[in-house]
Amino acid sequence: MRNLLMTGVAAALFLPAAVSAQAVEGRVSKLESEMRAVQRKVFPNGAGQYLQPDITASQAPQTAPGVPATSAITDLSARVTSLEEQLSSLTGQIEQNGFRVRQLQEQFEAYKRATDNRLKLVEGGPAPIAPANESTPLEGAAVSPPPVRAPGGSAGAKPAAVAAPVAVAGVEKPATGDAAEDEYLYGYRLWSAKKYPEAEAQLKKVVATYPKSKRASYAQNLLGRSYLDAGKPSLASMAFYENYKKFPDGERAPDSLLYLGQALTKLNKPADACKVYDELSDVYGAKLSAAMKGQVEAGRSAAKCK
């Protein structure tokens, strides 16, 4: 009977310990599996090696003789709990770092796309040249000139489209009863007020809506000057070339060749600029004013033409 009683007491004492040991063993196995997963994420080329953590368990406090110590199961459980908490913290930090890296990559890709688009649409240049008086018209030319190679070697290139013009505060739109005249003068006033994007949209509207009007040549030429004054010599050169090609008899065709030469000089294409000045002199030389002839010579000097 006594032996049976002692067996029951022993079972009552050691059974919880066995259960606790099994529970701790399961937690340790789970902890090791998670640690290997973390190490594979942090050290992908680790070849499956298990790296020992730098975390060490604190030394068990020395107890005085006669004072009962905590059980081994209790100590082991405390250490496993500490490791689990540290592993959870490490995993959270890894996830946060990965999220930040993804954010930085997305931001960089967005910046790169925006920069590429701006470089494709607009080519910046140095400070704009001092324009001649746009309000003083030149005599129209009666001779249709031979074609000139488009700037950059592309004869079919066109400036980028601009949104439809809108009313601009502080710039009054004239109302003389002549629609083409009013639309052109409004674009001229926008340009004079240095409202370049609005002026470009308005001047494009004039060219598209009134291609038979004499103001179409004025508007296309002034469009190029707006680009030039805004520091966009590449777009300006295309606008000037379009005016010479579409309206060779227009009153602003000679002006467009003059400014085309200046735009090409700004684009570091002096040889092309010299060809344009030669074309201007050959086609319109007899009809150029003394002031414009002086501008041509100044342009040739700037391009170092022979």
Side-chain angles (χ1 to χ4, degrees):
M1 184 67 180
R2 181 179 179 182
N3 290 336
L4 181 60
L5 180 60
M6 291 300 295
T7 301
V9 171
L13 291 175
F14 292 107
L15 182 60
V19 173
S20 298
Q22 292 177 356
V24 171
E25 183 179 357
R27 292 170 64 188
V28 170
S29 298
K30 182 175 181 293
L31 181 62
E32 290 177 346
S33 176
E34 292 178 351
M35 183 63 74
R36 290 191 182 94
V38 170
Q39 290 186 347
R40 284 195 299 271
K41 191 176 186 67
V42 178
F43 307 105
N45 298 323
Q49 298 179 1
Y50 182 77
L51 304 180
Q52 296 296 331
D54 292 335
I55 304 171
T56 57
S58 59
Q59 297 294 329
Q62 300 294 329
T63 57
V67 178
T70 58
S71 68
I73 297 298
T74 302
D75 292 341
L76 183 58
S77 297
R79 291 171 60 188
V80 170
T81 299
S82 176
L83 286 174
E84 288 176 337
E85 292 175 353
Q86 294 171 5
L87 175 61
S88 176
S89 175
L90 177 61
T91 303
Q93 292 177 3
I94 292 174
E95 293 177 350
Q96 291 178 359
N97 291 338
F99 176 73
R100 293 192 184 100
V101 170
R102 288 194 299 273
Q103 280 188 319
L104 290 174
Q105 290 175 338
E106 292 173 358
Q107 292 173 0
F108 174 76
E109 290 297 329
Y111 169 78
K112 184 176 181 297
R113 287 193 299 270
T115 301
D116 290 343
N117 290 336
R118 284 196 296 269
L119 291 176
K120 290 178 181 178
L121 293 176
V122 178
E123 179 179 353
I129 61 172
N133 185 4
E134 178 68 19
S135 61
T136 303
L138 294 176
E139 295 181 3
V143 180
S144 296
V148 174
R149 181 175 62 85
S154 177
K158 296 182 179 180
V162 179
V166 295
V168 177
V171 180
E172 183 180 359
K173 187 173 183 179
T176 64
D178 184 337
E181 185 75 8
D182 292 343
E183 295 291 348
Y184 167 73
L185 290 178
Y186 183 50
Y188 176 80
R189 291 178 181 181
L190 290 169
W191 170 75
S192 298
K194 301 186 185 303
K195 306 287 186 180
Y196 298 127
E198 295 84 353
E200 290 155 14
Q202 177 65 25
L203 294 167
K204 283 188 175 185
K205 175 185 174 183
V206 174
V207 176
T209 308
Y210 309 102
K212 302 298 183 181
S213 171
K214 72 172 185 177
R215 286 306 190 183
S217 176
Y218 281 79
Q220 183 68 30
N221 181 70
L222 190 56
L223 173 64
R225 292 186 59 183
S226 181
Y227 283 133
L228 201 59
D229 292 348
K232 304 173 184 178
S234 181
L235 293 176
S237 64
M238 289 186 283
F240 292 133
Y241 172 74
E242 284 294 312
N243 193 38
Y244 177 61
K245 182 178 70 173
K246 288 182 178 179
F247 311 110
D249 297 328
E251 295 185 39
R252 285 295 186 242
D255 294 70
S256 288
L257 284 182
L258 171 65
Y259 288 113
L260 174 56
Q262 295 176 354
L264 290 171
T265 301
K266 285 184 173 294
L267 291 170
N268 295 321
K269 296 181 179 180
D272 290 339
C274 293
K275 293 178 182 178
V276 170
Y277 290 132
D278 291 340
E279 183 82 6
L280 174 58
S281 298
D282 292 343
V283 178
Y284 303 109
K287 298 181 179 296
L288 299 181
S289 65
M292 193 167 187
K293 289 179 179 179
Q295 289 179 296
V296 172
E297 290 304 316
R300 293 180 65 86
S301 176
K304 299 180 180 179
C305 301
K306 295 180 180 180

